[in-house]
Amino acid sequence: MPEKLIDALRERVVVADGAMGTMLYAKGIYVNRCYDELNLSQADTVREIHREYLQAGAELLETNTFGANPCKLEPHGLAERTEEICRRGAELARDIAGDRAWVGGSVGPLGKPLSPIGKIDEEEAVGFFRPQIRGLVAGGVDLIILETLSDLVEIRAAFRAVRAECALPVMVLATFAAEGRTLLGYTPEEVLAAMQALPVEVCGANCSEGPHDMLATVTRLRAAAGEGGMPLAAMPNAGHPRF
């Protein structure tokens, strides 16, 4: 893209793509598969989804690497291939994006709670995130997106891993429940303050809320950030799951 993403976000709305897992499932790939591994075994399917989002008007494509960290890949026997899977995921998105869209490297939670709730301390978490970040950078992403996170300690660990591997801009998307707090109880204002302190380039919310609830969250984030403050991002899902 001719302009930098952060500059664009300060001037206008940038349209991102939608869910990757939902689209893979819709194409007949059942949830017992490791969706991140599809970057290696079914690359054409992943490319097709990126292409469909680009054709629909997306200006930011996220890589198919949300769960591609050693903790989540280990049950599939793929932990040692973390960097390879992430590099390939970035390359697939880059192939389709070309110079028509930005590519964001998707980094989700480790899937295991951090101390004091769990047994993983912050230093270990940094180590788990680093090969994922390294692969995304090698594959040519424009920014790193840390998303669907609820724990400020885990966010800090992921951010430290990013800064240990690169100087790319970072977008953090926390997940808030309908009552306006993350799973660990943080408010939008607390998350925004923590992101300003790191600092990251973009803060926002994604996933669990539908558009109506997320509007309330983003309104609170904007009030906390102030006009002309940190650019914000909102990536809601379609609403709460229902039969």
Side-chain angles (χ1 to χ4, degrees):
M1 300 288 284
E3 58 184 333
K4 293 182 178 180
L5 175 61
I6 305 305
D7 293 338
L9 285 170
R10 293 191 182 281
E11 299 294 329
R12 62 183 178 87
V13 173
V14 173
V15 179
D17 59 8
M20 173 60 71
T22 302
M23 295 296 288
L24 289 168
Y25 183 84
K27 291 183 181 296
I29 302 173
Y30 196 57
V31 292
N32 61 345
R33 294 285 302 276
C34 175
Y35 278 12
D36 305 285
E37 188 277 335
L38 298 174
N39 294 333
L40 307 179
S41 62
Q42 291 187 226
D44 287 345
T45 302
V46 177
R47 277 199 200 92
E48 181 182 2
I49 294 170
H50 288 315
R51 185 177 295 109
E52 289 170 353
Y53 276 130
L54 184 67
Q55 291 171 344
E59 302 172 90
L60 171 60
L61 302 180
E62 285 200 58
T63 57
N64 177 39
T65 56
F66 176 77
N69 64 68
C71 293
K72 285 192 172 181
L73 291 175
E74 194 276 332
H76 301 280
L78 296 167
E80 298 301 317
R81 304 187 73 180
T82 297
E83 190 171 339
E84 176 189 6
I85 289 170
C86 291
R87 176 183 54 78
R88 190 61 181 141
E91 290 171 347
L92 296 177
R94 185 85 270 165
D95 286 348
I96 300 303
D99 60 359
R100 297 172 59 194
W102 292 282
V103 174
S106 175
V107 178
L110 294 176
K112 296 181 179 180
L114 272 62
S115 169
I117 299 173
K119 297 181 179 180
I120 299 175
D121 64 29
E122 186 175 335
E123 293 301 322
E124 289 176 302
V126 173
F128 286 134
F129 281 119
R130 287 190 66 172
Q132 183 175 16
I133 304 300
R134 195 156 50 242
L136 292 169
V137 173
V141 300
D142 297 302
L143 75 156
I144 303 296
I145 302 178
L146 310 178
E147 58 182 337
T148 321
L149 295 161
S150 299
D151 183 355
L152 292 182
V153 177
E154 186 169 24
I155 293 173
R156 186 172 62 213
F159 179 78
R160 288 177 55 199
V162 174
R163 285 292 166 260
E165 297 293 340
C166 70
L168 290 174
V170 177
M171 177 187 296
V172 170
L173 302 173
T175 295
F176 297 90
E179 59 270 19
R181 292 180 179 270
T182 72
L183 184 63
L184 269 66
Y186 296 108
T187 66
E189 292 81 7
E190 289 170 329
V191 171
L192 191 281
M195 296 310 99
Q196 290 172 322
L198 284 175
V200 304
E201 282 72 19
V202 185
C203 180
N206 80 318
C207 194
S208 67
E209 301 172 289
H212 182 271
D213 289 337
M214 187 164 288
L215 176 59
T217 296
V218 175
T219 300
R220 291 175 63 178
L221 288 171
R222 170 51 63 215
E227 291 300 326
M230 180 183 292
L232 302 180
M235 298 186 185
N237 64 15
H240 294 289
R242 59 190 175 89
F243 288 108

